[in-house]
Amino acid sequence: MSDEYILGISAYYHDSAACLLKNGEVFAAVQEERFSRKKHDSRFPKSAIEFCLAEAQITVDDLTNVVFYDKPLVKFERLLETYIAYAPKGLISFFSAMPVWLKEKLFLKSTLQKELKSLSPRNTFPELLFTEHHQAHAASTFFVSPFEESVVLCLDGVGEWATTSAWIGKENKLTPLWEIDFPHSIGLLYSAFTYYTGFKVNSGEYKVMGLAPYGEPKYVNKIYENLLDLKEDGSFRLNMDYFNFAAGLTMTNDKFHAIFGGPPRRSESTLTQKEMDLARSIQEVTEEVMLRLAKSARKETGIRNLCLSGGVALNCVANGKILKAGLFDEIFIQPAAGDAGGALGAALSAHYEYKKHPRTVQKIDAMKGSYLGPSFSNDSIKKILDKLGANYQELPNEQLEDQLARILANGNVVGYFQGRMEFGPRALGGRSILGDPRNQKMQSIMNLKIKYRESFRPFAPAVLSEKVSEYFDIQTKSPYMLFVADILPFHRIDMTEEQKKLFGIEKLNVPRSSLPAITHVDYSARIQTVHAETNPRFHSLLSKFNQLTGCPVIVNTSFNVRGEPIVSSPEDAYRCFMRTEIDFLVLENFLLNKKDQTPVEEEDSWKKEFELD
């Protein structure tokens, strides 16, 4: 029997990606931005598809199906209905959106066929299928989860019509329960505050989440009184008098600005206490909505497992609150929960729901630790380094790890590139920058001298899975860095009375625990548990660091500078290493010391290349 290959695609909105299934197994998955080096690239994922096909050593002609992650005609219907409902207000937005729709998106089927044909040696294309957007979100998390049965909640900006939906996943089926439709969207409400606080929509939402602990929830009542009608069961409606996203080109309008005391903050201008308080307020409202929805889903179905998906499911603080509430036995969130994961969900939906294949549940989950992208052999890396004129040492695994543990313990920052690249927005030890969490200066060094980003941004700890409950208030796996939990009291440093009076960003320089570099100002951390089964090399490095220092935790942040997608190739990694103040670079078994390299270009050249996020 020949192998069945299904290719899932997400494209043309934001975060385009491709995912290949081989006989139902997640074989390869990657975002287009990693190849194009354009963050959140939304174009047809040509390079991502080429990688997936090359990985399986097949061509487009060997694919059984290609599946797209939403239904463009239904989305077009929603746009037209919205413009008619808001006429004549929406005319400018209508005229700016329509040329793209009429040229590309409305005739998406023929656009996709043309693109696929151009990749085919025989100039043909496989059968095309289309899932609904939220169906793809639900499939992307449930079908790879370790559950036979689960409630599934999908929360995002908007798909075709749905913005929030609930499903029951059982074996190889997803049954829809209910949905909340556009324009009522918790994702778009959060994006409105992202816009108003001066960050980029569909990119800066995680900054709002990181900023929230510096503020007070002063605006919560204002949000409930004016913007959001939230019911006990978690269902909600937005008061559209305050928003501009349905009809205009911005998220908020003058009425919104009036109740919050002025126009939106200008991008890159100084952050004030007001933005911190706004961030805290919308974060608390979002947590309350998600918590109520989760309670209702548990009560309505009696099912003891929960899967989350959609862009809002990347809000790891809210996820942590649901986890802590103890509503479910287990919670699973697929690592590429946003639109990129739609490619995975589209392929899985076709495999299980359309073709009705039986499903075998994996004990951990079916995502292979999310290590689904490109990898590079030592031979290919050596050729690249020689071509670049780099100075390096090649070391066997054990020796390299011993040396790395010492390098980290001495306060150095390490660019770490090994194995397959991660699928989704988080670096999980495949394409990471590492540091010592005990070092009080590490957060500011990494933020300002390496990532070139805002000083308030917290860093995440990677921790040995078997040691996580010795440091953090969490009893579950968190392999994809999608839960925030508190540092245990034993490791905390209590604040003095003087320090307790500090406001906003002044709180930043007060060490909160014995691991100051990964402890946020509210004693929380976004946790990655590292497992020997899915990333043996990273697990081994953490074990060596633990043996040397007695600390099983390392600072882990994504290998990139601000505005740049995570590095994909050895060339990307070397370029980032040379442009920043990273001290050492590891590329598989090669170790490079910055002091041994010939300087290549001025350090801030990245600013000309990458648009700030």
Side-chain angles (χ1 to χ4, degrees), residues 138-401:
S140 78
T141 188
F142 173 66
F143 290 133
V144 293
S145 76
F147 310 138
E148 289 280 354
E149 185 179 37
S150 175
V151 177
V152 184
L153 283 177
C154 304
L155 305 99
D156 66 358
V158 58
E160 295 88 359
W161 279 102
T163 68
T164 308
S165 61
W167 309 68
I168 290 178
K170 191 167 185 183
E171 293 164 355
N172 65 349
K173 287 188 192 72
L174 278 164
T175 308
L177 287 175
W178 51 259
E179 67 179 50
I180 296 169
D181 285 345
F182 182 85
H184 310 292
S185 165
I186 197 65
L188 291 174
L189 177 66
Y190 205 93
S191 291
F193 278 85
T194 303
Y195 169 81
Y196 187 68
T197 49
F199 300 114
K200 213 177 197 175
V201 172
N202 292 329
S203 169
E205 281 77 5
Y206 59 96
K207 297 184 188 183
V208 175
M209 185 178 71
L211 192 60
Y214 295 98
E216 302 299 322
K218 286 181 182 172
Y219 299 100
V220 166
N221 289 341
K222 244 178 198 173
I223 294 170
Y224 286 131
E225 284 161 14
N226 298 284
L227 308 182
L228 181 74
D229 177 16
L230 177 63
K231 302 290 188 237
E232 197 51 47
D233 64 358
S235 60
F236 56 85
R237 286 184 73 78
L238 298 187
N239 182 347
M240 293 307 294
D241 291 349
Y242 292 90
F243 300 96
N244 205 24
F245 59 76
L249 299 170
T250 57
M251 295 299 297
T252 57
N253 61 19
D254 290 345
K255 205 169 171 185
F256 185 105
H257 307 160
I259 60 165
F260 293 110
R265 179 181 79 99
R266 226 176 51 253
S267 178
E268 303 306 311
S269 63
T270 307
L271 279 163
T272 68
Q273 191 62 42
K274 178 187 169 184
E275 282 79 40
M276 295 170 204
D277 295 341
L278 284 161
R280 175 70 177 274
S281 302
I282 191 56
Q283 178 62 32
E284 289 207 358
V285 168
T286 303
E287 288 165 17
E288 185 59 28
V289 172
M290 289 177 73
L291 208 48
R292 287 191 193 186
L293 287 169
K295 277 180 186 163
S296 295
R298 175 79 177 86
K299 199 170 152 187
E300 189 183 340
T301 63
I303 294 170
R304 304 185 71 89
N305 298 317
L306 173 68
C307 291
L308 289 168
S309 192
V312 180
L314 293 170
N315 192 314
C316 43
V317 179
N319 298 341
K321 293 276 164 68
I322 297 172
L323 187 68
K324 203 170 180 180
L327 301 166
F328 296 91
D329 292 352
E330 278 192 74
I331 299 174
F332 175 78
I333 307 157
Q334 185 264 116
D339 268 12
L344 168 71
L348 289 166
S349 181
H351 179 77
Y352 289 114
E353 298 187 275
Y354 181 71
K355 295 177 181 287
K356 299 192 168 31
H357 288 299
R359 176 170 164 254
T360 308
V361 176
Q362 309 276 342
K363 194 173 102 188
I364 298 181
D365 62 62
M367 286 303 289
K368 302 179 178 175
S370 105
Y371 308 109
L372 296 163
S375 62
F376 295 82
S377 67
N378 278 318
D379 285 348
S380 65
I381 291 169
K382 188 177 191 310
K383 281 182 189 140
I384 290 164
L385 289 176
D386 288 341
K387 195 176 165 189
L388 290 166
N391 291 306
Y392 56 82
Q393 284 177 278
E394 187 174 4
L395 300 165
N397 285 3
E398 183 123 354
Q399 203 179 327
L400 177 65
E401 282 156 14

Side-chain angles (χ1 to χ4, degrees), residues 11 16 24 164 212 262 330 340 473 517 558 589:
S16 69
T164 308
E330 278 192 74
D473 183 17
S558 55
N589 287 81

Side-chain angles (χ1 to χ4, degrees), residues 510-541:
V510 180
R512 298 305 166 103
S513 78
S514 57
L515 305 174
I518 56 87
T519 308
H520 207 7
V521 292
D522 57 356
Y523 293 106
S524 71
R526 187 182 76 198
I527 292 154
Q528 178 200 357
T529 51
V530 180
H531 303 259
E533 302 93 324
T534 49
N535 196 335
R537 278 189 77 167
F538 194 35
H539 187 275
S540 178
L541 172 60

